Amino acid sequence: MAKGAANSCSATTTQTLFGVFMGPLFERPAVRSSVDDLLQAVATGRFRAVIDRTFPLAEAAAAHEFAETAEPLGRIVLTP
């Protein structure tokens, strides 16, 4: 896969795990500026991720069950 390409893995038809490797793209001023702007928006509260529920890592199976059956309205977070 090319550097900077998206990786996705579909768990079901409605649940998707998505990530992006940015690596050398951070060397581009426009990319770095966009990421800096996003991080600043998070830091100042202008951007906020909606978290539906948090599960301890030991309850990962319950988190997956919740994701597949409860139709969450936000992100599901696993904590150590």
Side-chain angles (χ1 to χ4, degrees):
M1 184 172 289
K3 290 181 180 179
N7 301 314
S8 66
C9 171
S10 181
T12 68
T13 57
T14 60
Q15 301 296 317
T16 302
L17 175 64
F18 184 77
V20 176
F21 172 70
M22 298 293 287
L25 293 176
F26 279 114
E27 296 174 11
R28 297 181 183 177
V31 171
R32 185 60 193 208
S33 177
S34 294
V35 171
D36 288 345
D37 290 346
L38 179 59
L39 292 174
Q40 184 64 29
V42 170
T44 60
R46 290 181 295 143
F47 177 89
R48 184 177 62 88
V50 176
I51 298 173
D52 187 295
R53 190 155 173 200
T54 302
F55 290 85
L57 186 56
E59 296 178 19
H64 280 275
E65 177 70 18
F66 181 76
E68 294 173 5
T69 62
E71 298 183 19
L73 298 175
R75 301 286 108 194
I76 299 167
V77 177
L78 293 173
T79 59

